[in-house]
Amino acid sequence: MGRAYADRPVRIGIQIQPQHADYDAIRRAVAEAEELGVDIAFNWDHFYPLSGEPEGKHFECWTMLGAWAEATERIEIGALVSCNTYRNPELLADMARTVDHISGGRLILGIGAGWFEKDYDEYGYEFGTAGSRLADLAEALPRIEKRWAKLNPAPTRDIPVLIGGGGEKKTLRMVAKHATIWHGFGDPETIERKHRILDEHCADVGRDPGEIERSTAAQGSPDEIGPQLLELGTRMFTVSVGGPDYDLGQLRDWISWRDEVNRG
């Protein structure tokens, strides 16, 4: 393909959705995923389930990440994704720096503009519009970067920033300016277009597009969708699992596929 980001090894993530489950089950799932050889474990940043019983069991994102930082040893951890408008950007930067230290430098700051209206209504945040939430994210990202530069102690590393979302005019431009990883959704044709537009934004802002890892959801069998997305430059694939019991069978398949691809 000739694109620098296509030279990266494949990585496999798991999103352990913190819904409809006791925390013991969530902790066991994280431990099992690390034992199986996953690269990254994500949760998500919501206050209520996104599927199933709307008032079902659910746990908060960032306190959980602090616990995962202690409960794991090797894998990277993060939210897929943290909602920007739930926390002051300086506070979020400090939280991320703290989990970065607790984990020994394994945190990824996943962040997005937010979209789940029930979270906003129930917790007293202003929902606004899609445009206003994107504007808030654009303002927050440089503030997070500035706060990291001021904190004592500093983060253990340049904390990777994952931005989720596929908006072609605003979100992908923010990715070009600020992100280490872009996480998007869609069929291969859609992903190919998003990659092309992201590359164009990188050119506009003077960024090497090879610095941005391309990520997407791992849906179905890796043999069905993996090779085509791989050809397009996608290098991170994340399997999502929900409670009350976390079935990691599909994750095993993706890890085996990763190992075959990376062996070449």
Side-chain angles (χ1 to χ4, degrees):
M1 172 187 309
R3 294 184 181 130
Y5 50 79
D7 297 333
R8 295 172 178 268
V10 170
R11 300 203 293 165
I12 301 299
I14 183 170
Q15 184 188 55
I16 299 173
Q17 300 168 350
Q19 61 177 4
H20 307 304
D22 293 326
Y23 183 70
D24 285 349
I26 295 171
R27 184 177 59 233
R28 286 194 299 270
V30 173
E32 183 181 356
E34 182 169 52
E35 185 175 350
L36 289 172
V38 79
D39 296 293
I40 311 112
F42 297 105
N43 57 11
W44 67 27
D45 189 20
H46 296 289
F47 306 124
Y48 293 90
L50 298 187
S51 61
E53 169 53 50
E55 301 295 324
K57 292 178 180 178
H58 201 282
F59 289 99
E60 193 275 330
C61 167
W62 275 91
T63 44
M64 183 180 298
L65 289 176
W68 286 9
E70 291 280 11
T72 60
E73 296 180 355
R74 177 190 60 81
I75 56 175
E76 291 188 296
I77 57 174
L80 192 64
V81 291
S82 188
C83 176
N84 169 62
T85 43
Y86 295 167
R87 300 163 193 86
N88 167 281
E90 285 74 19
L91 172 61
L92 181 59
D94 202 346
M95 293 165 64
R97 182 280 309 253
T98 299
V99 177
D100 165 67
H101 275 265
I102 296 170
S103 66
R106 294 183 289 117
L107 178 80
I108 294 172
L109 176 60
I111 193 166
W115 62 273
F116 189 43
E117 190 168 3
K118 181 175 181 176
D119 282 347
Y120 286 81
D121 292 345
E122 292 282 351
Y123 278 65
Y125 298 111
E126 181 181 350
F127 188 58
T129 65
S132 69
R133 294 192 299 277
L134 282 168
D136 288 341
L137 179 59
E139 180 191 13
L141 289 164
R143 287 171 60 182
I144 290 168
E145 293 165 355
K146 288 178 182 177
R147 181 57 49 179
W148 280 338
K150 293 180 178 180
L151 290 170
N152 183 18
T156 67
R157 63 172 179 169
D158 290 335
I159 295 175
V161 174
L162 179 155
I163 294 178
E168 296 176 359
K169 293 182 179 179
K170 296 180 180 179
T171 302
L172 291 181
R173 189 169 183 84
M174 283 186 260
V175 173
K177 293 177 69 175
H178 299 284
T180 325
I181 306 165
W182 172 66
H183 184 82
F185 301 91
D187 58 26
E189 182 180 358
T190 300
I191 294 293
E192 183 176 27
R193 185 178 73 252
K194 304 292 186 185
H195 283 188
R196 184 176 65 252
I197 293 169
L198 176 54
D199 291 349
E200 292 169 357
H201 283 304
C202 286
D204 289 342
V205 302
R207 180 92 183 273
D208 177 1
E211 295 177 358
I212 302 172
E213 186 175 17
R214 314 302 165 100
S215 168
T216 194
Q219 298 175 326
S221 164
D223 294 331
E224 294 172 1
I225 66 169
Q228 193 170 1
L229 290 171
L230 195 69
E231 176 65 22
L232 296 176
T234 301
R235 287 298 179 270
M236 185 192 297
F237 300 84
T238 297
V239 176
S240 293
V241 292
D245 300 309
Y246 293 95
D247 181 356
L248 303 190
Q250 189 182 63
L251 178 67
R252 289 182 175 89
D253 294 339
W254 280 92
I255 288 173
S256 296
W257 177 79
R258 174 204 67 191
D259 292 344
E260 291 175 8
V261 170
N262 287 344
R263 279 196 299 266

